[in-house]
């Protein structure tokens, strides 16, 4: 869905940049800068998805009409599915931003093993298993795959 691909890359990129800046600052023992980069990354990673979610909650029909023309779509289920997809995918970006900051901090301390194992467990283990079971083992289809990805993004920072 096009609406997801307009919002997600911006948030992903900003979260990754904040993680890289934090990693370099920690690696160079500039802990005050690392703290500042971490807070900035958390603010951006939390504020942009939260603003999108608030806009979406306030006026879902107007917001979704930026991406889909409801008059040309003959089925209301498509509009409802698009609203649900946008909400779930945006909600999953907040914990992913947190994961990027924490992974960057660990990498700055040269602890790549824990960050890698955490990503492996959350994305490959939990996320893939949940996506496959919800997407193919239930009637949720693509929504189940998206929910599995959101679970992976949420489990990662924990």
């Amino acid at each position: 869905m096009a609406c997801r691909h307009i919002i997600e890359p911006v948030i992903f990129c900003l979260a990754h940049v904040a993680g890289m800046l934090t990693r370099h600052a920690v690696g160079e023992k500039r802990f005050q800068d690392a703290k500042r980069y971490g807070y900035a990354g958390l603010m951006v990673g939390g504020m942009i998805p939260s603003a999108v979610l608030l806009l979406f909650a306030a006026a879902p029909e107007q917001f979704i009409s930026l991406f889909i023309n409801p008059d040309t779509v003959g089925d209301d289920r498509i509009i409802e599915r698009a609203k649900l997809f946008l909400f779930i995918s945006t909600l999953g970006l907040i914990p992913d931003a947190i994961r990027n900051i924490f992974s960057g901090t660990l990498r700055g301390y040269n602890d790549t093993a824990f960050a890698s194992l955490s990503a492996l467990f959350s994305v490959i283990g939990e996320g893939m298993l949940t996506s496959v079971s919800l997407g193919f083992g239930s009637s949720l289809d693509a929504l189940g795959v998206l929910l599995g990805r959101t679970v992976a993004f949420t489990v990662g920072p924990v």
Side-chain angles (χ1 to χ4, degrees), residues 21-84:
L21 289 172
T22 305
R23 179 187 75 209
H24 289 293
V26 168
E28 295 168 1
K29 310 266 189 274
R30 294 181 293 122
F31 298 112
Q32 197 65 4
D33 287 343
K35 185 176 177 181
R36 194 172 67 235
Y37 295 144
Y39 281 138
L42 291 175
M43 292 297 291
V44 169
M47 286 176 57
I48 292 175
S50 297
V52 169
L53 287 172
L54 285 174
L55 285 171
F56 185 70
E61 281 77 25
Q62 289 77 15
F63 194 68
I64 206 71
S65 69
L66 295 171
F67 309 105
I68 298 174
N69 186 353
D71 298 330
T72 60
V73 176
D75 193 352
D76 288 338
R77 292 180 297 175
I78 294 173
I79 300 295
E80 292 304 315
R81 182 65 58 113
K83 290 179 192 176
L84 193 57

Side-chain angles (χ1 to χ4, degrees), residues 83-111:
K83 290 179 192 176
L84 193 57
F85 272 39
L86 182 63
F87 179 78
I88 291 172
S89 67
T90 305
L91 190 64
L93 294 173
I94 297 170
D96 186 57
I98 296 168
R99 184 191 59 78
N100 279 311
I101 300 299
F102 289 144
S103 293
T105 303
L106 288 172
R107 286 186 177 106
Y109 282 120
N110 292 323
D111 185 4

